[in-house]
Amino acid sequence: MNTPIPSPIVANSAKNPIRYLPLFAAISAVTPLAIDMYLPAMPKIAESLNTDIGLLQNSLSIYLFAYALGMFIFGPLADSIGRKKMLIIGLSGFTIFSLLVASSTTGDEFLIYRSLQAIFGGASTLVIPGTIRLLFGKDTVKGLSYVSSIMMIAPMLAPTIGGVILEVTEWRMIFYVLAMYSVVILLLCLRYFPDLEQKSISVSSFKQLYLASYNRILSNKRTRRYLIISMLASFTFFTYLTGISFIYITVFGLSESMFGILFGINVLVLIFANLTNAKIAVKFGANRMISSIWFIAFVFSSFLLMSAWRELDWIYLVLGLIPLMGCLMATIINTDTEILKEFAQHTGTATAVIGTLRFGSGAIAGPLLAFFYDGSAMPFAVLIFSGIILIGIVHFSRNNTVK
């Protein structure tokens, strides 16, 4: 296997890496836009395709699984053929299958094309963390935090954009808009994406490309610890995303507009948490930040659990959830930073492992909430509290102490 040799252009690009962050955020926004824009259209899609609404509701979990699969498939390939080539392949495939989703005539077609759309979405977004790692070096946590903060605008606006499109035309236009968006991003990437390509990692077999690549990541004890923490934090965060509309609207009887306001406030807090983490983690280190943030998360998750157990008013739930989600987002950024530090030459594979575990664990949040459903906020609070406790066990366990 050849040792990758950085391009001379890396040094020039790294002089002002912040200028690339809006483009990186726009690429990363492909997935939240694809997930959230069509949510208001689910009933109309079901009616148009003459299919059961329950089938379409499962499309979110299917999308997350397929997205994780895409990262798993394309991660080692990105290390082999180069980030920019993988980005072009991913955005091209995403565009094609967005158009095919729009042309679906049955529920089965819709789910198949959505799955393929997700797979290529994974191929396009997995190159961003590695590119940030190469550009920012020791300040990787800052780059990841800034991109995440900018990208947060997408899930905040996506349902509104989808709703506006539905007011003007039919649901298929949502996927035409997604296709147009990916084409614009593709053209911008061809012109402006930093040319940081390293000499391709030569591989002689499938075993060397996949098995050896993933074994390199998973056999690292220090990395395994951070991967587990990242997975648990992601599962806990997806539990919030999956269940919060039910909690606010069904359990507490809040209006859809109030739900939108509270969700928007939480997004703003997530942005604030990312920006704050970017400044502090550079000084104290990502690993130290994980420890400090966990204690804060434990306090607010305990408050959340007590609020649900005592059946307190919704405002107490909000006071526990909003800072807790900020802690989880910062934890995810910090664990990703520590993982990418270990594998500067194999960031595609490392990102694939992170993404596969993240979105794979996120996809089971919905089924678990449904299984424990009792009409109250208690299962929701218990799952979130359990996630925080497990993060603490993994992080502070003597058997997993980083030496």
Side-chain angles (χ1 to χ4, degrees):
M1 181 178 293
N2 297 331
T3 302
I5 302 175
S7 165
I9 302 177
V10 172
N12 295 328
S13 300
K15 289 180 180 178
N16 186 22
I18 292 178
R19 71 181 188 270
Y20 295 112
L21 296 184
L23 178 59
F24 295 164
I27 297 168
S28 300
V30 165
T31 295
L33 287 174
I35 290 174
D36 296 331
M37 271 182 67
Y38 88 114
L39 294 179
M42 274 193 180
K44 291 189 177 181
I45 296 174
E47 181 181 356
S48 173
L49 300 180
N50 194 28
T51 191
D52 181 50
I53 184 65
L55 181 68
L56 288 184
Q57 287 175 334
N58 288 330
S59 65
L60 178 57
S61 291
I62 292 172
Y63 189 95
L64 293 175
F65 273 122
Y67 183 81
L69 177 63
M71 299 191 97
F72 181 85
I73 293 172
F74 291 112
L77 281 173
D79 291 331
S80 178
I81 68 174
R83 297 181 185 89
K84 194 166 186 175
K85 289 179 182 178
M86 181 53 61
L87 180 59
I88 293 170
I89 292 171
L91 288 173
S92 299
F94 184 89
T95 301
I96 292 169
F97 288 107
S98 294
L99 294 173
L100 288 173
V101 172
S103 68
S104 300
T105 56
T106 67
D108 289 338
E109 280 186 10
F110 181 88
L111 293 179
I112 291 171
Y113 293 142
R114 276 286 283 174
S115 298
L116 292 168
Q117 180 196 43
I119 287 173
F120 282 92
S124 60
T125 57
L126 70 84
V127 305
I128 300 304
T131 305
I132 292 173
R133 168 70 179 86
L134 196 57
L135 282 172
F136 282 80
K138 63 182 179 62
D139 293 331
T140 296
V141 65
K142 181 186 292 185
L144 291 175
S145 296
Y146 285 164
V147 167
S148 180
S149 297
I150 301 171
M151 190 266 291
M152 284 291 172
I153 298 172
M156 186 165 57
L157 296 179
T160 301
I161 295 171
V164 170
I165 291 173
L166 287 177
E167 291 290 330
V168 177
T169 183
E170 64 169 350
W171 65 267
R172 297 179 193 275
M173 182 55 66
I174 292 174
F175 295 97
Y176 288 131
V177 169
L178 284 172
M180 288 186 284
Y181 176 83
S182 58
V183 168
V184 171
I185 298 302
L186 176 58
L187 294 175
L188 289 173
C189 289
L190 290 172
R191 176 66 179 85
Y192 296 109
F193 193 83
D195 187 7
L196 305 176
E197 300 304 347
Q198 301 169 322
K199 180 177 281 189
S200 299
I201 299 174
S202 61
V203 293
S204 58
S205 66
F206 173 88
K207 179 179 179 181
Q208 187 179 4
L209 177 61
Y210 283 96
L211 299 184
S213 296
Y214 283 116
N215 181 64
R216 181 182 297 107
I217 308 298
L218 296 174
S219 62
N220 186 303
K221 292 182 179 180
R222 185 174 188 271
T223 299
R224 279 206 303 266
R225 173 175 170 269
Y226 288 119
L227 284 171
I228 295 171
I229 294 172
S230 177
M231 179 182 68
L232 290 169
S234 298
F235 165 77
T236 309
F237 189 77
F238 273 106
T239 298
Y240 161 78
L241 290 179
T242 305
I244 194 58
S245 61
F246 167 80
I247 298 299
Y248 283 158
I249 296 173
T250 304
V251 175
F252 290 103
L254 301 181
S255 65
E256 285 80 0
S257 59
M258 178 58 74
F259 164 72
I261 292 171
L262 292 174
F263 190 81
I265 291 173
N266 212 338
V267 172
L268 293 176
V269 171
L270 292 177
I271 293 173
F272 174 78
N274 278 330
L275 295 176
T276 303
N277 181 71
K279 293 181 179 180
I280 300 176
V282 170
K283 181 177 181 180
F284 293 102
N287 184 63
R288 189 172 174 183
M289 288 294 295
I290 294 171
S291 301
S292 301
I293 290 170
W294 182 85
F295 286 106
I296 300 173
F298 174 75
V299 170
F300 284 106
S301 63
S302 300
F303 181 79
L304 173 69
L305 184 64
M306 182 200 70
S307 300
W309 177 53
R310 297 293 300 273
E311 298 183 350
L312 300 180
D313 200 14
W314 62 270
I315 189 64
Y316 294 98
L317 199 79
V318 172
L319 292 175
L321 274 174
I322 289 181
L324 177 57
M325 292 306 109
C327 290
L328 285 172
M329 181 57 64
T331 298
I332 290 169
I333 295 294
N334 289 320
T335 53
D336 288 0
T337 299
E338 291 297 318
I339 294 167
L340 292 172
K341 280 182 182 178
E342 294 288 315
F343 302 102
Q345 310 298 345
H346 301 278
T347 54
T349 305
T351 303
V353 174
I354 294 169
T356 301
L357 294 176
R358 174 167 301 154
F359 290 96
S361 64
I364 68 173
L368 281 176
L369 284 170
F371 180 79
F372 292 110
Y373 170 77
D374 65 357
S376 75
M378 196 62 187
F380 174 82
V382 168
L383 281 177
I384 288 179
F385 180 77
S386 299
I388 299 301
I389 293 299
L390 289 173
I391 290 172
I393 291 172
V394 173
H395 184 61
F396 295 107
S397 172
R398 290 183 179 179
N399 292 331
N400 291 297
T401 299
V402 179
K403 298 182 180 179

